[in-house]
Amino acid sequence: PVHVVVDFGTTGCTGPDGHVRRGKMIMDYTNRLVLPGAIATTNFEDFYVDNNKVEGLHRITNITSIVNPVVIPTYRVQVLNGKITKPNGNYTEWNSNRTITQIEGMITPDLPRDDVFRIEGSANGQVRTSTIAVRWESTITEPLIRRVTCRWIVKGRVRTIRANLPNGGNSPWVGVLDFGTGNCDNQATLTLNGVTRQITLP
């Protein structure tokens, strides 16, 4: 087991990305994460990014399986009671559970450029401002496909429901983000309550 504490101090440390971090990130590894059964857990102690407070627990569990003679690397990635609070008190909180499975490139471990991963799972949470709280639920309805050689997700769908309305109504808003059929590009479609439009991914 390994216990790691990354301490950015109390006054703040500016990183290469221009963001200022302060406080502690605390990580515990039960074993090397490449080994089946290993767990890596990260939590935070008075941790801030640009004065936004970060809370919650991030856990990665190696649930790799073996289909003789091929090892299929698989990881469960969880966020438990995640929360980001802005200086004005507004916050976003969420829980998520995803499974990431390598589906190509397992027999060439020294050549990562041919690696392809499948992502499945769901999340839920709440966004709160000074006047409203919006609850949401998100589910990967078609597995997301990510290639190491592509910046964007190339395939899959995510369905997100806005579970409540600002005026206290209960009619959900439903959005579906479709990443396409496998091409490596920054194009996707977003369907909101039945209306579809093409969007460009950042």
Side-chain angles (χ1 to χ4, degrees):
V2 176
H3 180 73
V4 179
V5 178
V6 182
D7 190 345
F8 293 92
T10 58
T11 58
C13 177
T14 303
D17 57 2
H19 294 288
V20 178
R21 295 170 175 83
R22 57 187 169 95
K24 297 178 182 180
M25 298 174 60
I26 303 169
M27 292 157 280
D28 289 284
Y29 296 82
T30 63
N31 209 329
R32 296 183 61 192
L33 198 52
V34 295
L35 299 177
I39 301 173
T41 302
T42 301
N43 54 56
F44 308 92
E45 183 179 305
D46 295 324
F47 185 70
Y48 293 80
V49 179
D50 296 334
N51 292 319
N52 299 306
K53 187 175 185 179
V54 180
E55 300 173 273
L57 184 145
H58 184 273
R59 178 186 293 145
I60 304 174
T61 305
N62 187 326
I63 56 173
T64 291
S65 61
I66 299 176
V67 180
N68 286 328
V70 180
V71 176
I72 303 176
T74 308
Y75 296 86
R76 179 181 296 118
V77 181
Q78 298 169 287
V79 174
L80 304 174
N81 299 317
K83 187 175 183 180
I84 298 176
T85 306
K86 296 182 178 182
N88 63 5
N90 294 345
Y91 64 80
T92 298
E93 57 185 6
W94 75 101
N95 290 275
S96 70
N97 192 336
R98 289 190 173 189
T99 300
I100 301 174
T101 305
Q102 186 172 349
I103 58 175
E104 293 184 23
M106 293 84 76
I107 62 175
T108 55
D110 296 329
L111 299 173
R113 289 182 60 82
D114 66 355
D115 291 355
V116 181
F117 297 88
R118 181 181 67 230
I119 305 169
E120 300 168 284
S122 61
N124 63 80
Q126 178 175 257
V127 178
R128 185 171 187 86
T129 66
S130 58
T131 58
I132 62 171
V134 176
R135 293 182 293 105
W136 57 271
E137 300 172 3
S138 181
T139 304
I140 298 174
T141 57
E142 180 183 314
L144 306 182
I145 304 300
R146 185 69 183 265
R147 301 176 189 162
V148 167
T149 55
C150 186
R151 174 179 174 180
W152 301 278
I153 293 170
V154 300
K155 188 178 181 181
R157 291 183 179 182
V158 180
R159 182 176 185 265
T160 300
I161 298 175
R162 181 175 177 172
N164 67 314
L165 298 178
N167 60 6
N170 55 13
S171 298
W173 294 357
V174 179
V176 177
L177 180 60
D178 189 332
F179 290 94
T181 58
N183 295 326
C184 180
D185 57 40
N186 63 351
Q187 297 300 297
T189 59
L190 177 63
T191 302
L192 182 61
N193 285 352
V195 178
T196 301
R197 65 177 60 187
Q198 192 81 13
I199 65 171
T200 299
L201 302 170

